Amino acid sequence: MILRILNLVMLAILARTTFAQLQQVTNFGPNPTNVGIYAYRPSGLPANPALIVAMHYCTGTAQAYYSGTRYATLANTYKFIVIYPNAPDSGGCWDVHTNATLTHDAGGDSLGIASAIRYAINTWGVDRNRVFATGTSSGAMMTNVLAGAYPDLIKAGAAFAGVPYGCFAGPGMWNSQCAQGQLTKTAQQWGDQVRSGYPGYTGSRPKMQIWHGTRDETLNYNNFDEAIKQWTNIFGYSTTATQVQQNSPLSGWTRSTYGPNFQAISAANVPHNIPVQENDVLNWFGITGGGPTTTTTTTGPTQPPTTTTPGGPLQTQWGQCGGIGWTGPTACQPPFTCQYTNDWYSQCR
């Protein structure tokens, strides 16, 4: 009887609750390649919310990245807006190769996304100092493009399994030399390529975080090292990390910090389909507090290390890891990842 009453109470709460939906945005400004823009705006937003632009992989869609990542669920909790752009290319890849997209306000897919950001600032009151970009694969490449061509708009980026800014430059959507990790440049050359994205720009550059699996079979791991050269040059950092954290944020992953504005996380034995670490990204963007701090200790000479993450202890398989009102662990024990089920419940699986 008690269980039945609790179920009825929960159903009543759900019936009275109106959840935000992914909505298409049109007429938002210059959009020469017809990029689709979809927005998730949770209820209860503050007057000047943060904005995350979350960009899908090749063959993906805005809807797929919306349902396949936890940014919308986290937006319900932390009250920020998420824009999910949709690539106009028939293969679902982003234009990260044309001179237009690589240059500030010159055209290409990047201009359509930049227009959507400006629309969000002017129409929804988004805090222009809290606009962030993230994405996976082709979306990670576009994250780098936006950071290079629109540093006046993007304040921080997090790129999962991408390539350096300008690495795909050329006549076609696909650049085999870059994808295979055969395109190498000096740090100065890579940095100059970023600076060419917005000629004459002298303002601040977005802080960057890059993630890459060592067994990436689509975009060779060498691109990780080339991107490190690029962004350390932009910030004037040494290519030798000032801090290295093992098992951060997951077992076998290594976080290297080169300065306050650049981090690079290497995921050992992880292929191209690298699991997105949304909680870590929100820490990097400053939406959640504390920043990523992972410590590893050994409890005995023959016992494995135990890892602590910003969200507390790691959840076990099938355990809850998210949802409205959830205050428990938000990261999962490897190899499991936190998978969205609904706004009330996410599970490690």
Side-chain angles (χ1 to χ4, degrees), residues 20-338:
Q21 300 293 323
L22 194 63
Q23 296 181 329
Q24 186 170 11
V25 182
T26 58
N27 301 319
F28 50 84
N31 186 19
T33 60
N34 198 30
V35 172
I37 296 295
Y38 296 83
Y40 185 82
R41 300 168 61 201
S43 61
L45 284 170
N48 300 108
L51 171 68
I52 293 179
V53 181
M55 292 165 287
H56 64 76
Y57 40 84
C58 277
T59 74
T61 62
Q63 290 79 5
Y65 212 58
Y66 162 72
S67 60
T69 58
R70 297 181 56 242
Y71 292 115
T73 299
L74 292 167
N76 288 328
T77 300
Y78 297 107
K79 304 305 179 185
F80 57 86
I81 297 173
V82 190
I83 283 179
Y84 298 90
N86 197 77
D89 176 68
S90 60
C93 296
W94 292 103
D95 167 18
V96 293
H97 69 284
T98 66
N99 185 62
T101 203
L102 290 167
T103 306
H104 184 81
D105 281 346
D109 290 355
S110 67
L111 178 55
I113 298 172
S115 294
I117 293 171
R118 290 165 177 155
Y119 176 90
I121 292 171
N122 295 327
T123 306
W124 300 333
V126 162
D127 184 346
R128 62 177 62 251
N129 293 312
R130 293 196 299 154
V131 176
F132 312 111
T134 188
T136 300
S137 189
S138 186
M141 298 186 208
M142 181 55 79
T143 298
N144 279 276
V145 168
L146 291 175
Y150 295 91
D152 56 325
L153 293 178
I154 304 299
K155 302 307 176 183
F160 288 81
V163 302
Y165 172 93
C167 191
F168 260 44
M173 289 289 289
W174 189 256
N175 186 315
S176 295
Q177 183 186 23
C178 176
Q180 294 169 9
Q182 299 170 352
L183 184 58
T184 60
K185 297 184 180 184
T186 67
Q188 183 68 39
Q189 289 172 326
W190 279 124
D192 287 344
Q193 194 151 9
V194 170
R195 287 180 282 269
S196 72
Y198 192 170
Y201 179 75
T202 58
S204 61
R205 298 282 174 175
K207 59 189 293 192
M208 288 295 294
Q209 185 185 63
I210 62 172
W211 305 69
H212 216 110
T214 62
R215 296 181 62 186
D216 194 316
E217 72 284 9
T218 303
L219 298 173
N220 190 278
Y221 183 70
N222 288 342
N223 284 299
F224 182 69
D225 293 328
E226 296 302 302
I228 290 173
K229 289 193 287 185
Q230 183 171 71
W231 290 108
T232 52
N233 179 265
I234 287 297
F235 294 115
Y237 299 154
S238 168
T239 53
T240 300
T242 58
Q243 182 182 33
V244 177
Q245 296 167 274
Q246 303 297 331
N247 302 311
S248 177
L250 300 176
S251 178
W253 295 31
T254 303
R255 184 192 308 271
S256 297
T257 301
Y258 296 83
N261 293 319
F262 181 58
Q263 280 188 351
I265 297 92
S266 174
N269 299 314
V270 172
H272 185 60
N273 188 25
I274 184 170
V276 175
Q277 303 299 308
E278 297 94 339
N279 288 324
D280 202 297
V281 171
L282 262 60
N283 271 325
W284 180 247
F285 291 165
I287 291 175
T288 54
T293 54
T294 300
T295 58
T296 303
T297 58
T298 302
T299 56
T302 60
Q303 293 177 303
T306 59
T307 302
T308 303
T309 67
L314 298 179
Q315 182 62 282
T316 57
Q317 185 184 18
W318 310 122
Q320 184 173 358
C321 54
I324 296 173
W326 174 249
T327 59
T330 56
C332 304
Q333 291 182 357
F336 310 111
T337 58
C338 193

